[in-house]
Amino acid sequence: MMTQNETPAAKAASPSVRVVRPSIRSDNHRRAARAALPAAPLLIFLFLFLVIPIGSIVHTAISDGEITRALPLTTQALQAWDGDDVPLSAVYMTLGQELEAAGHAGSVRPLGRRIGYELSRGANIVLGAQRLLSEDFDRADPQAWKAQLIKADPAWGQSGVWSIIKHYNGRYSAFYLRWATGFPVKIEADGRLSQETSYDFRSIYLRTILISLVVTGLTILIGYPVAYVIANASGRTAAVLLFFILLPFWTSLLVRTMSWIVFLQTNGVLNNTLAGTGIISEPLPLLYTRMATIIAMIQIQLPFTVLPMISVMRAIPTNQVKAARNLGAGPLRAHATIFLPQAVPGIAAGGLLTFVLCLGFYLTPALVGGPSDQMVSFFIARFTNEDLNWGLASALSVILILGAGLVALPLARHVARHSSDRI
C-alpha cells in the first residue's frame, strides 16, 4: 500500500516494474528477430559473396609484406641508417645472408618483383645479387659481402634500393593505393624520381567517368520516350514494346558485343550497305573507336535505364495531365510541369543504375574500343591475369568501388526521398 510520502516516480521505480521492463524489451527483440528471419538467407548470401570478397580486395590492396618477409633482419638493421651514402658493411652482410636464405625458401622472385615495382631494374638487381652470392668469397668479412653485392650490380652502392628496403618494414602499406591514384612511385638507383613513363591512372579514371556519363545521358534521352510510350500504351502494344526491351536480357553479353563487331567492321554490314548505295567510296573506320564503344554500351544499358522509368511512369495518374490540358496548358507544357517532375525518381534511378554499371564495363570496350578507349576494369583484368600484380589490381578495384559508392549513395538517398514524397 502506498504511503502519503510515496510519489508516482517512486512507484515506477519499484522492483516489480523494473523486472517487467527488461522482459518487454526482450520480447520486442525476439519479435524483431523473428520478423527479420526470412531475410536471413539474403543477408548470409551478401555476407559471403559481397562483404567477404570486398574485404579480401581491400586487404590485398594494403598488403605489402614481401620485403619484410624476405629481409626481416635487414629492414630492422636499416632503421638506424640515416639515408646518407650507403649502410654499414655489416648491413651488407646481413642482406647477403638473407638473400641466400630467401633463395632456398623460394622468396627471391617475389622480393625482386616487389622492389621492381618501385625501382628501375629492381628485379634484375635482386636476382643478380642472389646469383653472384653463390660464388666463393670470404664470408666472414662484411667488406667482402659489400664488395660482392656491388660487383653484382652498382645499384647496391647507391641509396635507392636501400631506402626502399628500409621504408617497407611492415606487412601493410599504402604503396599500391598511392600507385593506383596516380602518384609517382618509381625511383632510380640513386633515389631520384624515375622519368620512366607509367600508366596515367588519373586520365584512365577521367576517361571512365566521361564515357559513363555520355552513355548514361544518351540512354536517358533515348529511353525516356520509349518508357513514356510503354507506360501509356494499351495492353498488347505495351506488352510487345516491353518484350523488345527485355529481349537483350535473353542474349549473352558477349554475343551482343560480337554482333557490333560484325556490324561495324571494315567489311561489315553498315560499311557494305553505305558503299552499295554509293554514299561512301571507302569504308569508314567505325570499329575500335570511342563511338563504337559508346554505341555498344548504350544498346546494352538501355533496358537498365528504361525499366525503372516505366515502373515510376505507370504510377503517375493520367488525369493530372488531362486536367492541365483542360485548364489551357499545351501538351509540352502539361508534360513538362505535371508529368516530368513526377517521373524524376524513375529517371534518376535508371540513370544511377546505368552510370554505376558503366563504371565497371570491361568486355565491350575491350572488344569494340581502341587502346585509348579502355576503362579502369580493363587494367584491373590486365594486372590480375597478365602482370600478376594483384596488389595494384586490388587498389584500382578499391578506388573504383569507393568512387561508385560516393556517386551512388547520395543519389540513391535522393531517389528514395523523392519516392517517399510521392507516396
Side-chain angles (χ1 to χ4, degrees):
M1 180 180 297
M2 288 182 58
T3 63
Q4 293 181 350
N5 294 330
E6 267 187 309
T7 63
K11 181 181 178 181
S14 63
S16 61
V17 175
R18 288 197 298 270
V19 171
V20 170
R21 284 178 176 173
S23 177
I24 294 174
R25 286 196 295 268
S26 178
D27 186 58
N28 291 335
H29 291 161
R30 284 195 296 270
R31 290 182 179 179
R34 284 196 297 268
L37 193 60
L42 174 61
L43 296 177
I44 294 173
F45 180 85
L46 291 176
F47 180 76
L48 292 177
F49 300 104
L50 180 64
V51 176
I52 292 179
I54 290 178
S56 176
I57 290 173
V58 173
H59 180 268
T60 305
I62 62 175
S63 294
D64 193 11
E66 290 90 345
I67 294 177
T68 189
R69 278 196 297 269
L71 308 173
L73 299 178
T74 304
T75 55
Q76 184 177 356
L78 284 173
Q79 300 311 304
W81 177 51
D82 58 5
D84 295 333
D85 199 20
V86 292
L88 300 175
S89 298
V91 180
Y92 278 88
M93 183 174 181
T94 302
L95 172 70
Q97 292 172 344
E98 290 194 312
L99 281 177
E100 288 185 321
H104 296 302
S107 56
V108 171
R109 289 191 178 277
L111 173 66
R113 184 169 59 246
R114 169 60 186 86
I115 292 179
Y117 292 154
E118 198 165 356
L119 179 69
S120 299
R121 301 187 309 103
N124 293 333
I125 293 171
V126 173
L127 294 175
Q130 193 266 337
R131 284 193 296 267
L132 202 62
L133 289 175
S134 61
E135 298 180 357
D136 291 331
F137 62 95
D138 187 3
R139 296 178 177 274
D141 184 8
Q143 289 289 343
W145 285 92
K146 179 177 180 179
Q148 195 75 358
L149 285 169
I150 296 177
K151 177 183 176 183
D153 198 295
W156 292 109
Q158 297 176 288
S159 61
V161 63
W162 294 105
S163 64
I164 294 174
I165 297 174
K166 175 183 177 178
H167 183 71
Y168 298 103
N169 61 340
R171 296 178 57 189
Y172 302 99
S173 78
F175 168 73
Y176 293 110
L177 292 174
R178 288 191 292 110
W179 191 0
T181 48
F183 288 98
V185 296
K186 202 91 168 180
I187 64 173
E188 299 289 350
D190 58 1
R192 293 181 294 107
L193 284 176
S194 175
Q195 300 300 316
E196 181 181 339
T197 58
S198 184
Y199 296 95
D200 188 359
F201 289 120
R202 295 181 182 179
S203 297
I204 294 170
Y205 294 133
L206 181 60
R207 179 196 310 158
T208 301
I209 293 172
L210 289 177
I211 292 177
S212 300
L213 286 174
V214 171
V215 172
T216 301
L218 291 176
T219 51
I220 290 175
L221 290 176
I222 297 170
Y224 183 85
V226 177
Y228 179 79
V229 171
I230 295 175
N232 292 276
S234 60
R236 176 165 299 195
T237 303
V240 171
L241 292 174
L242 189 59
F243 168 79
F244 285 112
I245 292 295
L246 296 175
L247 185 61
F249 287 125
W250 303 345
T251 308
S252 167
L253 175 63
L254 179 60
V255 173
R256 282 181 280 166
T257 304
M258 290 300 296
S259 66
W260 282 106
I261 296 178
V262 174
F263 187 75
L264 297 174
Q265 63 184 339
T266 303
N267 295 320
V269 176
L270 182 57
N271 270 317
N272 287 339
T273 302
L274 294 176
T277 56
I279 297 177
I280 60 173
S281 57
E282 295 291 335
L284 298 175
L286 301 175
L287 194 59
Y288 309 124
T289 62
R290 181 71 55 85
M291 181 190 69
T293 301
I294 291 174
I295 291 175
M297 289 176 66
I298 289 173
Q299 187 263 335
I300 293 168
Q301 288 300 124
L302 194 59
F304 295 100
T305 308
V306 170
L307 292 176
M309 292 185 190
I310 294 174
S311 63
V312 173
M313 290 179 179
R314 282 180 170 173
I316 300 175
T318 57
N319 56 2
Q320 293 181 359
V321 178
K322 293 179 181 178
R325 295 292 306 278
N326 291 334
L327 293 174
L332 293 179
R333 183 177 180 184
H335 183 88
T337 57
I338 304 299
F339 190 89
L340 181 59
Q342 298 184 74
V344 166
I347 298 172
L352 175 61
L353 181 61
T354 297
F355 179 74
V356 172
L357 291 175
C358 286
L359 289 177
F361 253 67
Y362 162 65
L363 184 62
T364 302
L367 292 179
V368 303
S372 61
D373 305 316
Q374 303 308 313
M375 302 166 71
V376 175
S377 297
F378 172 85
F379 295 93
I380 294 174
R382 178 172 182 172
F383 291 126
T384 301
N385 300 322
E386 297 180 18
D387 296 351
L388 301 181
N389 190 345
W390 294 352
L392 181 56
S394 298
L396 291 170
S397 302
V398 168
I399 294 174
L400 185 61
I401 292 171
L402 291 177
L406 290 175
V407 173
L409 290 179
L411 289 178
R413 292 180 60 185
H414 179 74
V415 171
R417 185 169 60 250
H418 275 270
S419 299
S420 62
D421 292 342
R422 290 182 67 249
I423 294 174

